[in-house]
Amino acid sequence: MTPLLPSPDHYLQNLITMTSPEAKRLWRKAIKEHFNCQCVYCGEHYELHELTLDHVIPRFYGGETTTRNLVPSCRKCNQNKGTNNWLTWMRQTFGHTPREKLILSHIK
Ligand SMILES: [Zn+2]
C-alpha cells in the first residue's frame, strides 16, 4: 500500500531518489488505492489504469490539485459530473449513497 500524502512534493521530500514524474505517479496511485480502486461516485471497482482522478471542486471553480480535492472516478462519472456540484450531481444520478460520507470525510 502506498502512503497517502498531501501532494507530489511530499513524496519528493520523503524519497529523495524519486524524480518528479515518479512522485506524481506514486501520489496518483496512492489516492486510488486509498479508495480501494473504487469509483467514489458509482461505486464500481476498476483497475488502477482505468481510473481517473476527479477534482471534487472543479478546477473551473478554483478547486486545487491536492489530495483532499482529488478522488478516484471512472471516466464515465468524471465526464458526466463535469463542472456540476458533486453532491447535487451524485444525488441526481445515484440517489443517496453511503459513498457521500466517504467523499465528505476525504475533502474535510
Ligand atoms: Zn463511476
Side-chain angles (χ1 to χ4, degrees):
M1 196 81 162
T2 316
L4 184 63
L5 303 176
S7 76
D9 288 344
H10 285 77
Y11 291 96
L12 285 174
Q13 287 159 18
N14 281 274
L15 301 158
I16 43 174
T17 55
M18 191 170 283
T19 63
S20 181
E22 283 169 344
K24 195 171 178 185
R25 195 173 62 234
L26 187 67
W27 176 58
R28 296 174 62 86
K29 184 169 171 265
I31 295 171
K32 293 172 185 177
E33 286 178 351
H34 179 72
F35 288 91
N36 298 313
C37 292
Q38 189 181 28
C39 169
V40 291
Y41 299 120
C42 68
E44 293 292 321
H45 285 87
Y46 291 90
E47 297 293 322
L48 271 177
H49 70 274
E50 294 175 313
L51 284 167
T52 65
L53 289 178
D54 180 58
H55 288 76
V56 179
I57 298 167
R59 273 177 295 189
F60 183 78
Y61 294 115
E64 293 181 357
T65 304
T66 56
T67 299
R68 291 224 172 274
N69 193 41
L70 288 174
V71 290
S73 166
C74 68
R75 289 176 206 286
K76 193 180 162 195
C77 287
N78 197 334
Q79 204 159 38
N80 290 345
K81 175 179 163 273
T83 56
N84 291 300
N85 173 277
W86 71 272
L87 189 57
T88 308
W89 173 81
M90 204 174 164
R91 285 183 179 169
Q92 280 168 353
T93 311
F94 304 109
H96 290 252
T97 80
R99 293 187 303 280
E100 287 178 11
K101 284 208 176 100
L102 208 67
I103 299 171
L104 277 170
S105 67
H106 183 69
I107 64 177
K108 264 185 187 139

